[in-house]
Amino acid sequence: MPDIKCKVLVIGAGPGGYVCAIRAGQLGLDTVIVEAERPGGTCLNVGCIPSKALIHAAHEFHKLGVFAGRGAIGITATSPAIDFGATQKWMAGIVKRLNTGVAGLLKRAGVRLVAGTARFLDGKTVVVDTVDGEQRIRAETIVIATGSAPVELPSLPFGGAVISSTEALTLDRIPARLAVVGAGYIGLEIGTAYAKLGAEVTIVEAEDRILPQYDEALTAPVRKRLVKLGIAIRTAAKARSFKDGRLELEGAEAVEAEKVMVAVGRRPRTRRVGLEELDLTMEREFITIDDRCRTSMRGVYAIGDVTGEPMLAHRAMAQGEMVAEIIAGKNRAWDKVAVPSVCFTDPEIVTVGLSPAEAMSRQIETSVDQFPFQANGRAMTTEREDGFVRVVARADDSVLLGIQGVGEGISELSAVFALALEMGARLEDVAATIHAHPTRGEAFQEAALKALGHAIHI
Ligand code: FAD
Ligand code: NAD
């Protein structure tokens, strides 16, 4: 096979890599992208998209169950049932549509997609194992976007009944009993979905509370809901081993389970990429980057999960877009005020910018206030009044430093929260903006008004 020569070579077609390649192509750079599996990466194939589809299906099914039981708001349903095979087919259909979409976008931008696993030979050359043999590619600039993979616990290796999120998203039937190790993003999102689908779910968390990365005020409504859904929570407990359907724990009683999903974090995919051929500065297994995503080697960039926290698709995409522009000669650097994070639990959690504790640890004097959904008309009309929106503003000039919230459907407010921070909005700007009624967004305006000392609806 003749060698390929190009200006930009991107390794990995996840959200980081494919966005980088599309933007590079749009900018007229001769670009090649290599992907070992399917375009779209973790997010689109075994992450964000299928998990949110599963969460949606589970939510809809659970709702019918509520109506069947109590006839809430005057609606009754009889004997709701789920054909999980059909649900899986529907989920796979969405993923396939997006795979095809990403491949089409790459093509339209003039990017060549090479299918196979890439390994570095040196800082300018990789060799790709393709179905037709080895393909060498030489590039002026290389972008590493190889993403991440689930962390495996030595005491609970993946295989058989012990699964990662990847297998949990493609189960052929709903397990009667599911144990989830790790009450982080994945454990709670997927664990809640299976509980709504009828599985008996137990969540095991090493720390003394669920979602330890968030403050307790934000996680309390989620915990309450987990309990309401019948999910057992074992905190300050570590999984020790799994044998004969029993998950032995350190710090708590053993759990009977048909399947055990281990979701204790993700590690960068830097093994078997030939990184030893390069002279890259690493922090543990993550690739160290600067504010332009440059690695310690000239002409080699790294983006996305492989560069560490926060391991989120939209951060990877933003880095990918920026790097393509830098390679094209534009003057760009990472100047984002905040990366929003959304946890798609029930209710959902959104955080953007600084929490009250983070602001305090930086010795910033703040004005913090929150508005509960209990006083929001829209929340009442949807029967979900749990949660609140909280604002954190600088005390002296009321510039917003952080916005957090928990509530049903609050993920959709993450955009307006992030926009407010990026635009340097003050409490007065939010308070003076007309928010349509009745919407959950009004809780943002009311939180700002409350911080200014004159909330209307509370
Ligand atoms: P990846 O998406 O991991 O893509 C890397 C790609 O590189 C892969 O396709 C891989 O096959 C390829 N590759 C690796 N090595 C090679 C090689 N040597 N040669 C060729 N190709 C290679 N994030 C959110 O923001 N929102 C969510 O709701 C969300 N939900 C998630 C749910 C789950 C269950 C999981 C597991 C993750 C979720 N994430 C979510 C995280 C999100 O998926 C990642 O942050 C995102 O995919 C990172 O993008 P990336 O481009 O860095 O890497
Ligand atoms: P996580 O870091 O969110 O949570 C892991 C949890 O496992 C932590 O609470 C940790 O204390 C616990 N833990 C660690 N070792 C343990 C042990 N031995 N026994 C019991 N508990 C243990 O990790 P995750 O849920 O695997 O998700 C990985 C990453 O994927 C996230 O950090 C996030 O970046 C990304 N993700 C994002 C979303 C989203 O944006 N909605 C959804 C899913 C995943």
Side-chain angles (χ1 to χ4, degrees):
M1 245 186 278
D3 288 2
I4 294 175
K5 287 201 175 76
C6 60
K7 168 86 181 159
V8 184
L9 169 63
V10 182
I11 306 176
Y18 84 71
V19 167
C20 183
I22 289 172
R23 186 69 190 120
Q26 287 173 346
L27 289 162
L29 304 174
D30 178 19
T31 305
V32 173
I33 189 164
V34 184
E35 173 52 54
E37 291 171 29
R38 285 177 294 162
T42 301
C43 177
L44 202 152
N45 293 295
V46 294
C48 327
I49 296 299
S51 65
K52 269 77 242 178
L54 182 75
I55 289 166
H56 173 72
H59 183 70
E60 296 298 305
F61 179 61
H62 174 73
K63 230 165 46 184
L64 284 179
V66 171
F67 292 140
R70 283 189 276 118
I73 57 173
I75 302 170
T76 50
T78 42
S79 316
I82 185 159
D83 172 352
F84 198 54
T87 310
Q88 285 288 0
K89 221 166 137 187
W90 168 72
M91 286 163 61
I94 297 168
V95 169
K96 195 160 177 232
R97 245 171 75 202
L98 290 170
N99 285 144
T100 315
V102 169
L105 291 171
L106 287 165
K107 197 169 170 197
R108 202 168 75 195
V111 177
R112 280 176 284 173
L113 174 61
V114 175
T117 304
R119 187 167 36 85
F120 276 96
L121 295 180
D122 59 49
K124 298 276 178 217
T125 323
V126 304
V127 61
V128 184
D129 282 327
T130 74
V131 284
D132 303 319
E134 289 199 338
Q135 170 71 66
R136 258 173 200 258
I137 307 177
R138 265 192 82 73
E140 280 175 39
T141 307
I142 300 185
V143 182
I144 306 171
T146 49
S148 65
V151 165
E152 189 170 39
L153 288 174
S155 58
L156 278 180
F158 293 127
V162 180
I163 57 175
S164 74
S165 55
T166 302
E167 293 76 38
L169 289 168
T170 49
L171 290 178
D172 52 12
R173 60 185 188 83
I174 299 157
R177 285 176 173 168
L178 173 70
V180 173
V181 181
Y185 281 86
I186 295 177
L188 290 188
E189 287 186 5
I190 297 180
T192 304
Y194 275 109
K196 288 183 175 177
L197 289 169
E200 200 177 293
V201 176
T202 302
I203 295 180
V204 178
E205 167 58 47
E207 299 286 325
D208 58 6
R209 57 196 192 84
I210 60 160
L211 289 170
Q213 65 267 52
Y214 293 120
D215 62 69
E216 216 151 356
L218 285 170
T219 58
V222 176
R223 192 184 167 99
K224 208 167 154 189
R225 185 80 175 154
L226 292 174
V227 172
K228 198 166 172 199
L229 288 168
I231 297 176
I233 306 166
R234 308 267 167 90
T235 47
K238 274 191 180 170
R240 254 205 327 234
S241 61
F242 182 69
K243 209 175 158 212
D244 301 330
R246 261 174 84 83
L247 178 68
E248 298 293 340
L249 304 180
E250 191 184 308
E253 237 176 76
V255 177
E256 304 276 329
E258 186 186 328
K259 297 271 181 204
V260 179
M261 179 180 77
V262 178
V264 294
R266 294 182 60 85
R267 59 163 186 80
R269 240 185 304 220
T270 45
R271 299 171 196 166
R272 293 189 285 276
V273 188
L275 291 191
E276 58 283 359
E277 304 300 330
L278 310 182
D279 186 21
L280 294 182
T281 303
M282 311 282 288
E283 202 177 321
R284 292 179 290 125
E285 278 187 277
F286 293 103
I287 300 175
T288 304
I289 50 165
D290 68 5
D291 66 347
R292 287 170 172 76
C293 291
R294 291 178 296 203
T295 67
S296 52
M297 270 184 85
R298 206 184 163 84
V300 179
Y301 293 79
I303 56 175
D305 283 9
V306 79
T307 64
E309 296 282 355
M311 290 198 250
L312 298 172
H314 41 278
R315 168 185 175 256
M317 292 190 216
Q319 289 177 321
E321 187 260 355
M322 178 187 79
V323 164
E325 297 216 336
I326 290 170
I327 297 170
K330 292 185 190 281
N331 187 15
R332 292 282 307 272
W334 190 257
D335 58 358
K336 310 293 179 200
V337 174
V339 179
S341 47
V342 178
C343 193
F344 292 84
T345 36
D346 180 4
E348 295 168 345
I349 298 176
V350 174
T351 64
V352 188
L354 300 184
S355 68
E358 285 163 343
M360 194 188 285
S361 72
R362 294 184 195 191
Q363 290 166 344
I364 306 172
E365 217 174 300
T366 54
S367 150
V368 177
D369 224 319
Q370 67 186 51
F371 186 84
F373 282 119
Q374 265 170 345
N376 173 273
R378 181 64 184 156
M380 291 176 204
T381 64
T382 54
E383 289 188 294
R384 286 299 297 272
E385 300 172 25
D386 46 341
F388 58 87
V389 174
R390 181 173 68 195
V391 291
V392 181
R394 212 155 43 205
D396 57 1
D397 57 7
S398 63
V399 167
L400 280 160
L401 301 174
I403 307 157
Q404 299 87 35
V406 52
E408 196 188 50
I410 203 170
S411 55
E412 291 302 331
L413 290 183
S414 62
V416 73
F417 293 170
L419 187 67
L421 287 199
E422 283 297 335
M423 299 199 66
R426 291 163 191 256
L427 290 171
E428 290 85 348
D429 297 317
V430 179
T433 301
I434 296 178
H435 286 66
H437 178 74
T439 62
R440 284 181 174 265
E442 288 171 282
F444 182 31
Q445 184 185 24
E446 286 282 359
L449 282 165
K450 199 156 167 263
L452 291 167
H454 48 93
I456 300 290
H457 290 94
I458 201 162

